[in-house]
């Protein structure tokens, strides 16, 4: 009986991808050298949802070299990062409830990973979007483009 339910679970999983095909997975690494490993992330137009995973491949703790992944319109980066500097690690170095933030992860330290799921309905095809790290002092170098469409 146990085997049968296991088989049924496998069968259900096998059919799941068709229904979930519009959830797209992205992943990016960050390092102890205050960097992201990709300058651009691309989300296909038919992705309904994105699950972004941020890995911190370094060793330094979040208090010293923490990283998060924050997505905003490019025009909002400076103001969001500025407001985030006055925030705290517990608040992911973002002003609580900042409506300019389209999506963000928590801040992680070396050896940790985190992820965020967001709907692409928040994005306009061809829009100008930037991802960055809002840890104080990082957004100047830790940033890249997110292309949708
Ligand atoms: Zn950072």
């Amino acid at each position: 009986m146990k085997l049968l339910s296991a088989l049924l679970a496998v069968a259900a999983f096998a059919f799941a991808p068709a229904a979930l095909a519009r959830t797209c997975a992205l992943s990016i690494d960050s390092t102890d050298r205050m960097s992201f490993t990709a300058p651009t992330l691309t989300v296909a137009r038919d992705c309904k949802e994105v699950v972004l995973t941020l890995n911190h491949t370094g060793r330094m703790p979040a208090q010293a070299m923490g990283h998060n992944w924050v997505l905003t319109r490019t025009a909002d980066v400076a103001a969001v990062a500025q407001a985030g500097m006055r925030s705290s690690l517990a608040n992911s170095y973002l002003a609580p409830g900042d409506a300019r933030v389209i999506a963000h992860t928590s801040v992680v330290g070396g050896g940790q990973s985190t992820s965020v799921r967001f709907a692409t309905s928040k994005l306009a095809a061809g829009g100008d979007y930037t991802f960055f790290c809002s840890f104080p002092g990082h957004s100047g170098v830790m940033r890249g483009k997110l292309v949708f469409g």
Side-chain angles (χ1 to χ4, degrees), residues 27-31 35-38 53-57 67 113 142:
S27 114
I28 188 167
D29 291 353
S30 57
T31 73
S35 65
F36 282 126
T37 53
T53 300
L54 169 67
N55 305 303
H56 190 319
T57 60
H67 302 309
S113 293
M142 289 190 76

Side-chain angles (χ1 to χ4, degrees), residues 3-127:
L3 179 62
L4 180 59
S5 14
L7 285 173
L8 286 174
V10 168
F13 185 74
F15 286 106
L20 300 174
R22 295 163 85 89
T23 296
C24 301
L26 292 177
S27 114
I28 188 167
D29 291 353
S30 57
T31 73
D32 277 346
R33 294 190 301 179
M34 207 195 289
S35 65
F36 282 126
T37 53
T40 306
L41 293 172
T42 302
V43 176
R45 182 83 183 262
D46 66 349
C47 298
K48 200 153 188 153
E49 272 190 326
V50 174
V51 177
L52 178 289
T53 300
L54 169 67
N55 305 303
H56 190 319
T57 60
R59 296 176 150 198
M60 294 172 72
Q63 290 79 3
M65 184 53 73
H67 302 309
N68 62 359
W69 186 91
V70 180
L71 180 66
T72 68
R73 293 188 308 133
T74 296
D76 292 332
V77 172
V80 170
Q82 188 74 31
M85 267 195 255
R86 293 190 293 271
S87 189
S88 64
L89 179 57
N91 284 322
S92 304
Y93 290 111
L94 291 169
D98 193 328
R100 295 166 297 195
V101 174
I102 297 167
H104 77 89
T105 69
S106 55
V107 175
V108 290
Q112 298 178 318
S113 293
T114 183
S115 66
V116 61
R117 175 186 292 259
F118 61 96
T120 57
S121 56
K122 295 175 171 182
L123 304 173

